[in-house]
Amino acid sequence: MAALTPLDGGQIKKSRASLVGGIAVGIGVFVLWAAIAKELGAGGAGPLFGGALVGLLVGLWIWKADL
């Protein structure tokens, strides 16, 4: 039986559009995180650091997954 292989060789694409999209989504996630933290009354550097970390990870995922 023949094995199925992806047409693109199975490589993860990392285009410039994905990079820009990842940066935009990462910034958006951070802004929303900061707004929700402010609305809930969570002040200080902890929630902002958490939001920056989550924004970075989501942005990297968008870039790597080429979404």
Side-chain angles (χ1 to χ4, degrees), residues 4-61:
L4 297 175
T5 58
L7 295 176
D8 63 357
Q11 297 296 321
I12 295 176
K13 298 177 221 156
K14 292 175 252 157
S15 66
R16 184 174 298 243
S18 280
L19 177 62
V20 172
I23 291 170
V25 169
I27 291 171
V29 167
F30 174 70
V31 168
L32 288 173
W33 185 288
I36 291 171
K38 181 179 178 185
E39 188 67 27
L40 293 175
L48 292 180
F49 177 73
L53 181 63
V54 170
L56 175 70
L57 293 175
V58 170
L60 285 173
W61 180 70

